[in-house]
Amino acid sequence: MSALLRSSLSRWRRAATLVLAAGWKHPGLAAQALPPPSVEDFRVLLLQRSEQQRFLPGAYVFPGGALDAADRSADWLRLFAPHHGPPYFNLVTRPRPRTDFPVLPAMETDAADGDDAALPYDVAFRICAIREAFEEAGVLILRPRASLAAAPELGRALPPPPDVTAWRARVRRDPRHFLHLCEHLDCTPDIWALHEWNIWLTPFFRYGSHRFDTTFFLCCVREPPPVEPELAEVVGFQWSSPSEAIKSFMSEEIWLIVPQFYEIRRLENFASLSDLHRFCLDHVLEEVERWMPITLLSADGCRLLLLPGDELYLEDSYFVENVMSTEKSSEELMKEGKKFHRVVIHSRHDYSIHVTVQSKYKHVYPKNCVVNKSHL
């Protein structure tokens, strides 16, 4: 393969994201002003990325980041022992999504695939999401080793240690120190509190860009833990109900990228934290969906992100590294179509979701969402 061709291909990495939903009976614990009342009794943690970051500057995102080799290290085995160990670590396993489309090139962390002692991805992705939540927000989703019986209960964040700042600096420099922190606290990452929610692949937007194959996990905790942004990559945060987060986005107070917008819209299906947690427990054996959005540029300048199930979606490897285009306007495409699973990006703060298909694996999809900003 020529150097020119190699440089034009996307650089893929595996990643994990934590959607942290907290009960809101005692909102004073969140150390911020109360948001306006909303119907949901839970809030979701959103972190504000620094404007100085090259990737998604200024966006409000869920905690998360790239999988590191340390997250798969066999050194974790001694911490989980003797109560939990290979192959499943007392996780309720589910079928992994079929990976026939798209087929991605080998990634850095795949080097451990031949190591029988390396942690399975089901465990490593959870450790990654928990580690990133600590690095970015100072939140520790850990469980004391003395109480490692995996119970189907709401999670609880561990109070940060007195020397949390020093530990975060070490972990940011070298993710292997997260294991050392857990050993120091005599805890393990609470992998049992994390439920697989969805898998998003970064859509194509520029040749040679960094893209991620990201597993989203949902974690329900009884109350919001203290949050302390690390002030380099993350400069702020807010606890928002799904409905309030969407209102803030539409009124241009915050900016959400499409996966966050879609998932927050999906969470609007749940009025209570207990309903959300029960849904996760009831669907633990269902397969999780894996989505590679395909970008369609319309004649009126809109971007349509097509998702599996949409009548225009093509499982064609060409569109992993290219966009589709049409001479029709977005309005014409909507009038002519019937089978939709798409997000229409009209402008930076104006998205609409159109879903007429059913989930293959009994998940919930967002309700159709077309917002007239003049009504806000």
Side-chain angles (χ1 to χ4, degrees), residues 42-75:
F42 64 93
R43 299 292 185 269
V44 176
L45 177 61
L46 293 171
L47 304 180
Q48 182 185 12
R49 289 180 58 80
S50 168
E51 293 284 357
Q52 307 306 314
Q53 293 293 309
R54 292 199 305 171
F55 184 68
L56 303 177
Y60 278 74
V61 298
F62 306 126
L67 183 72
D68 190 88
D71 301 321
R72 296 196 69 191
S73 171
D75 291 339

